[in-house]
Amino acid sequence: MIDDDESRVSASDTDGSAMLYDYFKYLTSLCVLSLGGVLALADRVPADGRGKELLVAALGVLCLAGLLAFTGVGEMVNARSKGVPVRPAATRYAAVAPLLLAVGLGMFTYLFTRSLF
């Protein structure tokens, strides 16, 4: 049986900062998984021309997205532990990190599909 106290959700669990924290956690996980996938498939990218340079650029963009997402998690933990409002930089991280993730994955998708043909 579920106790009545356990089934209640407190207001602090549903506020925006908790959702932003979870968003950053999942975004960080996506970046790490994307980096692993790109590195696993990196040998399929042709070495001719600028293939390897673009691969390194895609990895750099994905790393930057992961770094911003991880920094966002740090901002959320810091604000929550000190009981202060979240800095506006965290919302900028929440906008820029997925954009960089999409750009990095797009770059790699282009390189990978180019290697198939």
Side-chain angles (χ1 to χ4, degrees), residues 3 6 11-12 18-19 23 27 32 36 38-39 46 55-56 71-72 76 78 80 82 85 87 93-94 106 116:
D3 189 22
E6 291 178 19
S12 65
M19 288 178 28
Y23 176 72
L27 192 58
V32 170
V38 168
L39 288 173
L55 178 66
V56 170
T71 303
M76 300 303 297
N78 189 29
R80 179 64 64 102
K82 292 181 179 178
R87 293 185 344 181
Y93 297 152
L116 297 176

Side-chain angles (χ1 to χ4, degrees), residues 11-93:
S12 65
D13 291 338
T14 59
D15 66 352
S17 64
M19 288 178 28
L20 190 58
Y21 174 76
D22 286 340
Y23 176 72
F24 280 129
K25 280 193 318 184
Y26 293 122
L27 192 58
T28 303
S29 298
L30 279 175
C31 290
V32 170
L33 288 173
S34 298
L35 281 169
V38 168
L39 288 173
L41 298 172
D43 61 338
R44 297 283 313 235
V45 174
D48 64 335
R50 297 180 41 188
K52 294 295 180 185
E53 294 170 359
L54 289 175
L55 178 66
V56 170
L59 285 170
V61 170
L62 288 173
C63 285
L64 186 58
L67 180 66
L68 286 178
F70 190 71
T71 303
V73 170
E75 289 283 333
M76 300 303 297
V77 169
N78 189 29
R80 179 64 64 102
S81 67
K82 292 181 179 178
V84 297
V86 178
R87 293 185 344 181
T91 56
R92 286 191 292 273
Y93 297 152

